[in-house]
Each structure stands twice: as C-alpha cells, then as structure tokens.
Amino acid sequence: MKTRTIRQNQAAVRGVRLTGNFTMKQVLVIRKDLKMGIGKMIVQSCHASIEASEESKKRDPRSWGVWREEGAKKVAVKVQSLEELLDIEKKCRNYHLPVALIVDRGLTQIPPNTPTALGIGPAAEIDVDKVTGRLKLL
C-alpha cells in the first residue's frame, strides 16, 4: 500500500485531483540590502505571506481556495534596495494584484518603520510572473 501525504489525503477528502500543475502562487519578496539574519528574513516572509493571503482571500475567495487546494505554492525572491521593493509594489497595484508591504517595528535588528518585505498574491501565476518573473530566488 502506497503512503499518501497529508496534502494528498486532504485533497482526496475534498475530491481535488493533485496534478503538480499550479495555476496560482504567492511570491514573497525580501530586501537583501538590510543584511537581516536568517530568522528575521523568515519572520518578515511569514508576515508578508499572511498579510497578502488575507488580502487575496477578501478580494477573491474562490481563487484563494484554488490556491489552497493546489498546495498553496509560495516562492521567495530577493531585491537589493528599497527602491526596487517599492517599484514592485507599485507594479502589483497597477496590475490589481493582492499585495502587502511589510514595515518593521524596529524592535530587534533594524530601525523602526523600515520596509522589509512584500507579499504578492496568491493570484494567477501568469499575472504574478509579469511582475516578479525576472527576480532571483532568495
């Protein structure tokens, strides 16, 4: 008997067929110029993921549900400056993509009110790639 993953079991219960083909994704954009520690980058990515996911769920619950059923694909990428991060945020808004800019409170490694990360989507992969397709993986 073949062992199934939890995701496969949950999908089977809901009648979803998992093919490995994704139509939806979320992208997390992290500023590398801040020289954050790995833990700090992970936490900022988590903030970005949650906030952008909540925005997406409010806008389009059906598409958000598809993303979850597909396995909630996420990709982490990097930028080298605040200007680059803000430019990507602006493009996301122009394309009407769900987006969340994360601004740190400054309690640990970096000064208060520092933009650290961006969460984009979940949204259609083809649309997200228009904005983030050229960015390097984190």
Side-chain angles (χ1 to χ4, degrees), residues 9-137:
N9 288 334
Q10 291 170 341
V13 168
R14 288 192 299 267
V16 175
R17 185 180 154 145
L18 297 176
T19 64
N21 297 324
F22 295 95
T23 61
M24 308 289 290
K25 79 174 173 183
Q26 183 179 64
V27 173
L28 309 169
V29 184
I30 298 295
R31 282 182 62 190
K32 287 294 286 177
D33 62 306
L34 294 175
K35 308 283 190 237
M36 293 180 280
I38 190 76
K40 185 71 169 177
M41 283 192 290
I42 291 168
V43 170
Q44 297 304 298
S45 295
C46 289
H47 289 316
S49 179
I50 291 168
E51 292 301 318
S53 176
E54 290 295 319
E55 176 66 23
S56 177
K57 189 176 180 180
K58 283 184 218 171
R59 285 186 187 194
D60 188 351
R62 191 194 76 60
S63 291
W64 181 86
V66 169
W67 172 70
R68 295 282 297 149
E69 288 177 357
E70 288 181 345
K73 180 180 179 178
K74 295 171 199 71
V75 177
V77 297
K78 60 187 172 183
V79 293
Q80 298 300 329
S81 69
L82 172 60
E83 293 75 23
E84 193 175 1
L85 187 77
L86 296 177
D87 182 56
I88 293 166
E89 179 193 23
K90 183 178 178 181
K91 288 177 182 175
C92 288
R93 296 196 188 285
N94 289 341
Y95 280 108
H96 305 287
L97 294 171
V99 62
L101 177 67
I102 304 305
V103 178
D104 195 74
R105 291 179 57 200
L107 302 177
T108 56
Q109 297 180 14
I110 53 180
N113 302 314
T114 301
T116 58
L118 199 62
I120 304 165
E125 188 165 19
I126 193 167
D127 294 332
V128 175
D129 285 347
K130 289 175 186 173
V131 177
T132 64
R134 65 171 180 75
L135 298 175
K136 303 271 188 218
L137 294 175

